[in-house]
């Protein structure tokens, strides 16, 4: 911890009470929740026999059909050395080799934040929520749908900082298209560091950008600390079906060799990139993740690696991706079990939807993704807030609506309080035998009412008459007021000026040599 | 079955193919789904120790604090005979007595519909969805919010008949306030029989109305068949906390003695009618259901009885009921386990919400109720479609939106197909080793695409541009068109004219003697 102490963390050693007050002040009164340590069971959709069949099939796919590692001679040579059969870019991996290589990967690891109180545990019984990743567009009720800018990016970082149940600042919360592609990653990583103190993700669009992300992390945490600890997780998509491409392999190698976390994520629209069946899709996901995770371990044994999956299905009528339907839920539950069986942390789910507006469709679909996310035991959840329109849009209104749901699921994950206070027999006796005829006045209710029930930030529970008198507002209209309040209340967390200076100087230096044209 | 064969069922003995075509025609092309036979596990929130504590506490409440049976001398006498200690209207039930009495209740039973293909199994691994129950108001996008009428009632019966994943016609789908209170039940029961062929519920607002419901059922199914079989389930609310009132007891006695099903349902707004804690609320629910179910068995051993619970929490700020929050989900999961432990079918859940509009709030809250309903293993689900505004409103748009979600959950309940076709190894090989580079063109996809993925009736999965070109419609606007199409496509199922005549004549006779004033 010494490097960290010397870094940004050192000034956070104040007393808990002072810090808590400072935190509440900085977050405009929003009390931040730590990552979820679930006290409830996971829901398992598959029995042991089904899991065995799927893993045996995945091994068949890897050993007999093979998987491609494209345009990366080094990767192919590494696989050959490890004992795989390499034919052109096709790698056939003998049964059992992936599992053997993956054995060095941790089942759970800490991702450090620059504020140690915001560090998260990824894996085991823990769940971490991170915001939407990747949309080129943003949308709000006032301005409608438009390309994202660096200002939008900063806004979403600030909203994620303010959101009590977002435990992570995420990565590309929207694409800032007003910054040249080759320079964008610098501003994005800087924003996460400067405007939040929650953990964040690095760039993956080019190996050099991954290198820059690692360099910037080292300016914050110190070289040795970064080498010894995970301070970033980054998203490595498999190019399904059964392909890893050079860009992703390049970024994967940078992060794994730096000891940083990677999420090996098949990006699946079932029916196009995987079979139309759930078991078939699970088989392919497992094969792709096993190959990617094993490769990460070849790069550096012990580097944190997360079993990822993004799985939606397509409309067989139009080919369009669909969300919130039953099949992706089944895939999520099954993949979660396969990840646990493999001993890796699991990434999936979120608040996904196909809807173009933050309407009932968006909410049904998001809930149909988020609830399985929590019930299935996902450890790291991208897209937990803000996702709209199949991931093309970061929505301001949906962002805060989703955050409300996240906080509910966090409460749900705590399970049932079976203490004497939870059992409430004194209150039951008082009401059953009089003089109380309801519970509002009991001592037990008085003692517990402040924390008794989750209080939604979005829901309107008033009477029809009152709701009408207040303008018959729908949920998205109330959400519009809420995200504006959060941004108005936002106060930036402290950052050591010398670190800030070092970061800005690095960025300036890099920007001077990077091209402005599209690359 | 002979009575049933002589009744409405007899003309339905045609060949399966002809019947299926007739059904599809009658339902405007909507293919009706049978009740759910779940192939997935239930999600259990409590461990055995917690269940034991809660049941022991419930027994303490019943034996030491007591439960009131109000204004019903007969009920009190029956309890005394059974061995309970009766003090005024308070009944203290010795530990173990309720369980002993409940032992005669079936863990699963058939509720017969006049169309035998629509009969449902209630209990075990089965789930039956029924529409919203009780709202005095209706709402649609065209006419806004207004009092319900008999025309609205008929419309909702027709929509429930058309809905593939509603397995039950329900009861008071809305209050027809244009019909006098004392006569309303006759028109309501008639509507269910005449405009649907799915199973239905009887009236509970007065013992005489329960008698009328039984009489009308006998006109359809025959006296002996009704005495031997369950053809109605009816909703008996406990007057929580720890009270059964004379009206509900009167209706309960009528139905139980007629061998008909009852749902013993504590109606709980936690914090007011039960403790503010989940475990305390579960304790009270269990105590109330045990007393009510035991009483039903005293009326007629073997009469079907369902462990019911309706549990929401209240806003501790305003006292207003809230829905879709974490605590009621926890209560639902826990109560489901208590019901299974007691060996009774379980009723709870639905598509509950507090929202005044069919917006994102309505959808989030409904999904947060419906998903636990299915994951928890609810056997009989009232309010599965149409519920809005805390149950004050039957919404036309929400009705069809909810039906879409019900069909999704039905698909989800089927779990994962692990057959050879489900495993899809041929397709994976074809794509991994070429010449195919995606799955759309594989033989496996061609063979499976028609049934591969659930196809939503409400969701818009088109591109933003297409959605905009079509008027940027939100989900409720699309739902508005859908329910109108269902009503336009509706064709009434056949009903034996002699039965119809007998029902109409009975109703005419009763209406002539019943008062028009409010009672």
């Amino acid at each position: 911890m010494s490097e960290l102490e010397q870094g940004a963390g050192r000034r956070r050693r104040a007393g808990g009470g002072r810090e808590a007050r400072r935190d509440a002040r900085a977050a405009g009164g929003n009390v931040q929740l730590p990552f979820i340590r679930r006290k409830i069971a996971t829901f398992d959709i598959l029995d042991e026999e089904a899991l065995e069949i799927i893993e045996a099939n995945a091994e068949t796919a890897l050993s007999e059909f093979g998987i491609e590692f494209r345009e990366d001679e080094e990767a192919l040579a590494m696989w050959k050395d490890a004992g795989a059969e390499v034919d052109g870019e096709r790698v056939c991996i003998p049964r059992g080799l992936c599992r053997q290589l993956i054995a060095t990967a941790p089942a759970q690891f800490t991702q450090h934040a620059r504020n140690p109180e915001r560090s998260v545990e990824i894996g085991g019984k823990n769940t971490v929520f991170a915001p939407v990743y990747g949309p080129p567009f943003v949308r709000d009720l006032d301005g409608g749908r438009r390309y994202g800018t660096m200002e939008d990016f900063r806004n979403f970082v600030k909203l994620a900082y303010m959101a009590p149940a977002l435990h992570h600042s995420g990565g590309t919360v929207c694409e800032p298209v007003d910054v040249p592609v080759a320079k964008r990653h610098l501003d994005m990583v800087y924003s996460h560091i400067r405007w939040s103190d929650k953990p964040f993700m690095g760039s993956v669009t080019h190996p050099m950008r991954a290198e820059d992300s690692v360099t910037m992390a080292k300016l914050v945490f110190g070289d040795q600390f970064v080498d010894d600890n995970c301070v970033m997780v980054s998203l490595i998509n498999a190019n399904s079906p059964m392909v890893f491409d050079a860009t992703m392999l390049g970024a994967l190698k940078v992060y794994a060799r730096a000891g940083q976390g990677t999420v090996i994520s098949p990006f699946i629209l079932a029916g196009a990139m995987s079979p139309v069946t759930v078991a078939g899709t699970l088989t392919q996901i497992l094969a792709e993740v096993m190959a990617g995770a094993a490769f990460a371990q070849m790069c550096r044994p012990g580097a944190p690696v997360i079993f990822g999956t993004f799985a939606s299905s397509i409309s067989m009528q139009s080919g369009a991706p669909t969300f919130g339907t039953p099949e992706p839920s089944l895939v999520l539950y099954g993949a979660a079990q396969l990840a646990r069986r493999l001993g890796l942390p699991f990434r999936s789910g979120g608040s996904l939807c196909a809807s173009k507006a933050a309407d009932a469709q968006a909410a049904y679909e998001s809930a149909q993704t988020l609830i399985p996310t929590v019930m299935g035991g996902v450890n790291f959840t991208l897209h937990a807030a803000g996702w709209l329109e199949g991931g093309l849009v970061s929505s301001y209104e949906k962002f805060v609506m989703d955050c409300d749901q996240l906080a509910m699921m966090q409460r749900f994950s705590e399970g049932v309080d079976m203490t004497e206070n939870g059992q409430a027999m004194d209150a039951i006796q008082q009401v059953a035998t009089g003089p109380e005829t309801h519970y509002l006045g009991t001592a037990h209710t008085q003692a517990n009412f402040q924390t008794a029930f989750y209080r939604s930030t979005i829901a309107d529970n008033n009477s029809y008459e009152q709701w009408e008198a207040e303008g018959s507002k729908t949920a998205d209209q109330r959400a519009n007021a809420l995200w504006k309040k959060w941004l108005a209340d936002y106060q930036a967390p402290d950052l050591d000026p010398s670190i800030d200076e070092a970061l800005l100087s690095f960025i300036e230096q890099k920007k001077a040599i990077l091209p402005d044209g599209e690359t």
Side-chain angles (χ1 to χ4, degrees), chain A:
Chain A
M1 290 290 287
S2 62
E3 282 280 327
L4 183 64
E5 292 294 330
Q6 288 162 35
R10 72 187 159 194
R11 291 171 347 281
R12 309 302 308 272
R13 299 286 105 193
R18 210 177 94 199
E19 260 184 69
R21 281 193 301 279
R22 200 204 80 100
D23 276 359
R25 203 167 59 241
N30 285 14
V31 177
Q32 296 294 304
L33 300 170
F35 62 90
I36 297 173
R37 294 176 175 89
R38 56 189 293 134
K39 292 180 186 158
I40 60 173
T42 55
F43 178 76
D44 294 338
I45 198 86
L46 298 172
D47 58 21
E48 184 57 26
E49 191 194 347
L51 294 169
E52 275 168 22
I53 290 170
I54 289 168
E55 190 168 327
N57 286 348
E59 291 276 22
T60 298
L62 287 170
S63 60
E64 296 178 23
F65 314 155
I67 181 163
E68 285 183 54
F69 282 71
R70 287 199 185 149
E71 296 170 31
D72 191 328
E73 290 298 330
E74 186 191 18
L76 294 170
M78 287 163 72
W79 273 118
K80 207 165 180 180
D81 285 350
E85 192 182 310
V86 178
D87 176 15
E89 294 185 323
R90 178 173 307 281
V91 179
C92 288
I93 308 170
R95 281 172 199 280
L97 179 56
C98 286
R99 262 205 177 264
Q100 184 188 319
L101 290 164
I102 291 168
T104 53
Q108 181 178 325
F109 64 92
T110 305
Q111 183 190 352
H112 295 268
R114 70 177 180 91
N115 175 355
E117 286 171 36
R118 304 274 174 270
S119 294
V120 293
E121 286 290 314
I122 297 178
K125 293 193 167 192
N126 309 304
T127 298
V128 173
F129 291 138
V132 62
Y133 186 106
F137 298 100
V138 300
R139 181 184 176 95
D140 65 44
L141 277 186
D142 311 295
R145 184 187 195 256
R146 59 191 187 276
Y147 276 106
T149 64
M150 203 58 224
E151 190 190 342
D152 291 310
F153 191 99
R154 275 189 297 269
N155 284 341
F156 282 112
V157 169
K158 291 173 183 177
L159 290 174
Y161 174 69
M162 294 290 285
L166 278 174
H167 318 106
H168 202 284
S169 196
T172 310
V173 289
C174 68
E175 281 287 348
V177 301
D178 55 344
V179 181
V181 169
K183 301 178 176 179
R184 211 175 268 179
H185 65 290
L186 300 164
D187 291 348
M188 293 198 281
V189 171
Y190 176 78
S191 274
H192 283 298
I193 296 169
R194 180 66 196 92
W195 309 117
S196 185
D197 62 0
K198 296 182 179 181
F200 61 93
M201 303 173 76
S203 175
V204 294
T205 52
H206 194 285
M208 274 166 48
R209 296 173 198 153
E211 295 280 11
D212 287 346
S213 303
V214 173
T215 302
M216 291 175 74
K218 286 181 173 173
L219 293 175
V220 178
F221 292 92
D223 290 7
Q224 191 60 49
F225 189 84
V226 171
D227 196 48
D228 293 344
N229 294 281
C230 174
V231 300
M232 275 186 293
V233 292
S234 300
L235 182 62
I236 306 298
N237 280 329
N239 200 346
S240 305
M242 299 296 271
V243 171
F244 282 93
D245 67 29
T247 303
M248 285 292 149
L249 288 172
L252 169 54
K253 286 190 282 190
V254 169
Y255 286 117
R257 284 169 178 159
Q260 298 308 301
T262 49
V263 190
I264 309 296
S265 264
F267 179 91
I268 304 270
L269 302 178
M273 290 97 139
S274 79
V276 286
T277 58
V278 171
T281 296
L282 286 169
T283 300
Q284 185 184 309
I285 287 170
L286 180 58
E288 292 175 355
V289 171
M290 285 176 83
F295 183 72
Q297 295 307 299
M298 290 198 281
C299 293
R300 176 163 162 173
V305 59
I306 299 174
F307 182 131
T309 175
F310 175 95
S312 141
S313 49
I314 59 168
S315 159
M316 298 309 283
Q317 285 71 42
S318 69
T322 63
F323 297 93
T325 49
E327 294 81 11
S329 292
L330 295 169
V331 169
L332 188 156
Y333 283 116
Q337 289 181 264
L338 293 168
R340 282 194 288 276
R341 203 161 184 273
L342 208 55
L344 293 179
F346 180 57
R347 171 256 155 158
S348 192
S351 299
L352 312 182
C353 65
S355 187
K356 267 60 73 181
D359 64 349
Q361 179 185 343
Y364 277 124
E365 291 175 337
S366 296
Q368 286 280 12
T369 315
L370 181 63
I371 298 175
T373 299
V374 173
M375 304 287 282
V378 170
N379 301 117
F380 182 65
T381 308
L382 275 183
H383 315 308
W387 169 291
L388 200 67
E389 209 191 304
L392 286 175
V393 170
S394 291
S395 158
Y396 281 85
E397 283 81 20
K398 178 117 186 311
F399 194 97
V400 293
M401 294 193 329
D402 287 337
C403 286
D404 190 33
Q405 296 293 311
L406 297 179
M408 288 193 210
M409 292 312 294
Q410 178 141 8
R411 173 72 68 97
F412 178 79
S413 302
E414 290 166 13
V416 178
D417 171 15
M418 288 300 301
T419 62
E420 208 166 302
N421 181 62
Q423 293 179 45
M425 284 300 280
D426 51 340
I428 294 176
Q429 178 162 28
Q430 229 179 317
V431 172
T433 59
E436 300 288 352
T437 56
H438 58 71
Y439 286 85
L440 292 172
T442 65
H444 182 264
T445 301
Q446 296 299 315
N448 289 281
F449 84 93
Q450 279 187 308
T451 56
F453 301 124
Y454 178 78
R455 188 178 177 186
S456 171
T457 53
I458 296 289
D460 181 296
N461 300 309
N462 294 330
S463 69
Y464 178 76
E465 292 69 22
Q466 193 172 339
W467 176 74
E468 209 178 23
E470 289 172 3
S472 303
K473 286 193 183 122
T474 48
D476 54 341
Q477 292 172 309
R478 294 190 298 274
N480 181 267
L482 185 59
W483 69 257
K484 288 174 183 168
K485 181 182 180 336
W486 281 14
L487 284 187
D489 289 349
Y490 169 83
Q491 291 182 33
D494 294 338
L495 176 66
D496 186 326
S498 66
I499 290 174
D500 196 19
E501 218 167 280
L503 289 167
L504 291 171
S505 153
F506 172 76
I507 291 170
E508 194 185 357
Q509 200 181 331
K510 292 295 293 191
K511 280 194 174 178
I513 55 168
L514 288 168
D516 278 344
E518 187 79 24
T519 55

